[in-house]
DNA sequence: TTTTGCACTTAACCTAGATTAAGAAGTGTT
DNA sequence: AACACTTCTTAATCTAGGTTAAGTGCAAAA
């Protein structure tokens, strides 16, 4: 059973025909590390579901500093939600961090699927709700926890990601400079 | 036409019967400023749509500092999404800032409505998507803008809220102390 | 094999914003 | 009118985390 179907069936149940219809609207592609799937200024026309590998989304402020928004590994979806739903150019990049096998679902096919299999509307509603809750929590953490506490939370929540992502990108995700992150890590190890 | 129906019809179209069915599942209530609609530790069983007035959601870290998550005025929804969808006790408070008329929609009725009027599943999906995008942007802003820039953005985005909310709550929303906010505001006025 | 270029570290110095504390000014209650 | 209570301000002092800069280690070109 493909990972993406397992993923969907955590929230809604599909008949064999529905599964087949769904899969027929998707496409599997392989990408090497460092591939850019989406550039700032482009319109995001796909969602990506990760079968294997690691990706990240980020933007570049004032053409200088990379700011990581999200990571995605096995079983996660990634896209530029703003651009995807508004159909306007976004400011996110999506990049492959570790060689990846991805399931591509175009916005167009996704919308067709909403009509053909109404349960999928529910599935994506639930997916979006969960993502919203996670982002709200991260926002509150950034407003009220220290860098050290945010890092500890990151470690607990994504223990398997830490070894697979360059340290400076984790620094960016939790909202500190690579230099400070390095200092903080050394301090934590000393304990 | 009730504000809440106008709000829904920005995204999906309802027949007169559907409108009536929807409204029959909601309840209108009036609350005075300072009423607490939800306490930390309680399970959130309702969403609130604001006809008039202003509310906020916040949590209290370490039993000391209030951290504002969201404001809601006319035409906005507010709830503790984490608690609402997980049906577990949340850590948010929801409080009335300015006397309010609210439309209450219980989680139970909301779920019934999903079955009875599938279009509402779409409506709430879109609502959640928009909220997710807004939270993602706010998260990125908190990670890469200065307090002054965040305040300016807040002023542009919610010009009508500024006069209706205690300044210390705006400070909390953008992530600074009331003292620093006061200093910053004085500096901006001097310009 | 050298070279180029990242990723990471270390350290000195700097600053945005926090903390503490005190007073002013408004608001509602009795 | 006097009270308590809260919001807002101002100012001195402090610190988490940023900035700058130099150096190390390593992997991929060439």
């Amino acid at each position: 059973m493909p990972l993406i179907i397992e993923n969907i069936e955590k929230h809604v149940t599909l008949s064999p025909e529905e599964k087949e219809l769904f899969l027929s609207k998707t496409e599997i592609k392989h990408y090497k590390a460092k591939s850019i799937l989406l550039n700032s200024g482009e319109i995001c026309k796909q969602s990506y579901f990760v079968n294997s590998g690691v990706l990240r989304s980020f933007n570049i402020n004032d053409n200088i500093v990379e700011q990581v928004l999200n990571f995605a590994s096995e079983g996660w979806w990634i896209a530029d939600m703003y651009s995807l739903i508004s159909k306007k150019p976004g400011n996110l990049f999506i990049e492959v961090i570790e060689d990846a096998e991805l399931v591509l679902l175009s916005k167009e096919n996704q919308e067709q699927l909403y009509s053909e299999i109404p349960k999928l509307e529910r599935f994506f509603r639930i997916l979006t709700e969960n993502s919203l809750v996670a982002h709200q929590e991260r926002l509150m953490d950034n407003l009220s926890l220290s860098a050290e506490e945010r890092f500890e939370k990151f470690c607990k929540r994504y223990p398997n990601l830490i070894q697979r992502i360059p340290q400076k990108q984790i620094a960016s995700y939790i909202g500190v400079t690579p230099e400070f992150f390095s200092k903080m890590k050394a301090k934590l190890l000393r304990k």
Side-chain angles (χ1 to χ4, degrees), chain A:
Chain A
M1 183 69 63
L3 186 58
I4 196 168
I5 297 292
E6 275 180 37
N7 187 264
I8 294 174
E9 292 211 306
K10 278 182 191 158
H11 297 113
V12 298
T13 312
L14 299 181
S15 69
E17 301 75 46
E18 288 170 334
K19 287 175 199 177
E20 203 158 323
L21 175 60
F22 177 86
L23 290 173
S24 76
K25 302 259 181 176
T26 66
E27 189 183 351
I28 291 186
K29 283 201 180 174
H30 294 256
Y31 294 94
K32 287 270 160 214
K34 298 192 182 164
S35 311
I36 300 285
L37 306 187
L38 180 73
N39 264 291
S40 174
E42 292 177 0
I43 296 179
C44 181
K45 292 178 172 156
Q46 326 248 338
S47 306
Y48 302 94
F49 176 87
V50 184
N51 273 338
S52 69
V54 183
L55 321 203
R56 66 168 175 147
S57 59
F58 64 98
N59 89 45
I60 300 189
N61 325 88
D62 313 320
N63 304 311
I64 310 179
V65 191
E66 288 185 11
Q67 177 57 60
V68 172
L69 176 57
N70 278 316
F71 297 112
S73 63
E74 293 78 8
W76 290 80
W77 292 84
I78 196 165
D80 178 346
M81 271 299 269
Y82 164 76
S83 176
L84 194 72
I85 71 181
S86 69
K87 295 174 179 166
K88 289 190 270 193
N91 50 20
L92 291 185
F93 295 79
I94 297 179
E95 186 198 45
V96 179
I97 295 178
E98 184 187 86
D99 293 3
E101 179 181 280
L102 304 180
V103 182
L104 279 61
L105 172 61
S106 72
K107 175 75 179 180
E108 214 184 323
N109 284 352
Q110 186 173 347
E111 282 173 349
Q112 281 176 28
L113 282 166
Y114 285 154
S115 318
E116 292 163 349
I117 312 176
K119 268 175 289 187
L120 287 178
E121 186 113 34
R122 170 160 307 187
F123 170 70
F124 282 105
R125 171 180 62 75
I126 293 170
L127 204 66
T128 309
E129 282 174 353
N130 289 335
S131 182
L132 173 59
V133 166
H135 279 84
Q136 282 189 346
E137 185 180 342
R138 188 166 154 216
L139 180 60
M140 294 297 259
D141 286 350
N142 276 307
L143 290 168
S144 55
L145 301 184
S146 68
E148 220 169 291
E149 291 169 314
R150 277 176 271 146
F151 177 49
E152 278 164 0
K153 246 182 135 162
F154 181 87
C155 291
K156 269 184 210 150
R157 189 175 297 237
Y158 309 109
N160 50 328
L161 278 186
I162 296 163
Q163 302 84 331
R164 300 167 74 184
I165 296 173
Q167 182 173 304
K168 56 181 252 180
Q169 289 176 18
I170 299 177
S172 170
Y173 180 93
I174 69 171
V176 295
T177 57
E179 293 85 357
F180 183 74
F181 187 88
S182 177
K183 186 161 71 174
M184 186 174 77
K185 201 185 77 174
K187 192 181 135 207
L188 286 175
L189 287 177
R190 243 177 285 124
K191 288 186 189 171

